Amino acid sequence: MADEPIESGLQENRVFQPSPEFAKAATVGSAEELDALRQRASENPEQFWADQVLEWNAPDAKWFVGAQTNLTLNCIDRHLNSWRKNKAAIIWEGEPGDQRVLTYLDLHREVSRFANVLKAQGVETGDRI
């Protein structure tokens, strides 16, 4: 019995097509287009990513030119109004065995405290620090 392989009966073979509205708004419009992108990326990953996100004028490289993101919104704030606010966001272990666990709510408080420190130093929206 110990030598018998474990078999799973949990296999899903159905394909659920997106609605036409969703597909029209998608960056990649079809499975064929996705397959072509994957093929291009696997054949020459450096060129693929350079075409997507790199502006290269030797010796200067700029990545994700014009891109914007709100990291605190994407990584912290979106969890504050859900059950995840009390889940561990960061588990830190130091030496010799020091530990600290920050939940999403704890992390939000710490980030807000540090943002206030920066504001007190005169840092404003758009400043690079």
Side-chain angles (χ1 to χ4, degrees), residues 3 13 20 39 72 82 84 98 105 112 117 124 128:
D3 294 333
N13 296 317
Q39 183 67 32
T72 58
S82 75
R84 285 188 187 93
D98 302 338
L105 186 58
S112 296
V117 168
E124 296 179 357
R128 292 182 181 190

Side-chain angles (χ1 to χ4, degrees), residues 1-103:
M1 183 177 231
D3 294 333
E4 292 180 32
I6 297 174
E7 292 186 28
S8 173
L10 301 175
Q11 290 187 343
E12 178 60 72
N13 296 317
R14 293 177 294 173
V15 175
F16 298 90
Q17 297 297 328
S19 69
E21 299 83 27
F22 184 86
K24 184 178 179 181
T27 303
V28 178
S30 68
E32 293 79 20
E33 192 177 338
L34 178 60
D35 289 340
L37 281 173
R38 286 181 174 152
Q39 183 67 32
R40 234 179 86 220
S42 66
E43 288 171 358
N44 190 344
E46 287 184 26
Q47 186 61 51
F48 175 81
W49 286 108
D51 292 344
Q52 305 298 312
V53 298
L54 175 62
E55 184 179 292
W56 176 257
N57 296 309
D60 300 313
K62 295 179 182 178
W63 292 89
F64 299 97
V65 176
Q68 295 182 349
T69 188
N70 182 332
L71 294 178
T72 58
L73 177 65
N74 292 338
C75 299
I76 302 171
D77 297 356
R78 68 189 191 111
H79 299 296
L80 297 178
N81 293 322
S82 75
W83 59 271
R84 285 188 187 93
K85 70 182 170 198
N86 295 315
K87 257 185 100 76
I90 295 177
I91 301 171
W92 176 84
E93 290 192 25
E95 303 224 1
D98 302 338
Q99 279 190 334
R100 184 168 182 201
V101 176
L102 291 170
T103 65

